[in-house]
Amino acid sequence: MYVCVCHAVTDRTIRKAVQNGADSFTELQQQTRVSTCCGRCRDCAKQVMDDALADQWAALEPVAAFG
């Protein structure tokens, strides 16, 4: 789904940026330009990023438990 219409940023783009190391909203903006124009997508973009970060941490938990 499109999150930022101004720069054609999708939820997949945000998730990929998180996979590539974006762990702050500023980094996400630098990588994708999301929420750098009108700003209407800011809340949605933050939520998608937070969800992607949570998924990333959830995937690492079993490794941390055995590591």
Side-chain angles (χ1 to χ4, degrees), residues 15-34:
R15 289 184 173 278
K16 187 168 185 164
V18 169
Q19 288 175 351
N20 290 332
D23 60 0
S24 72
F25 195 70
T26 301
E27 286 182 53
L28 181 67
Q29 287 180 303
Q30 290 172 348
Q31 286 189 33
T32 65
R33 296 181 61 206
V34 70

Side-chain angles (χ1 to χ4, degrees), residues 39-59:
R40 290 182 183 162
C41 62
R42 185 177 196 84
D43 290 341
C44 183
K46 281 186 174 185
Q47 185 62 56
V48 173
M49 181 180 191
D50 289 346
D51 291 347
L53 288 168
D55 290 348
Q56 198 172 50
W57 279 107

Side-chain angles (χ1 to χ4, degrees), residues 1-11 13-14 32-42 44-45:
M1 113 182 120
Y2 280 95
V3 174
C4 177
V5 176
C6 295
H7 295 293
V9 178
T10 65
D11 59 326
T13 305
I14 293 172
T32 65
R33 296 181 61 206
V34 70
S35 188
T36 60
C37 188
C38 75
R40 290 182 183 162
C41 62
R42 185 177 196 84
C44 183

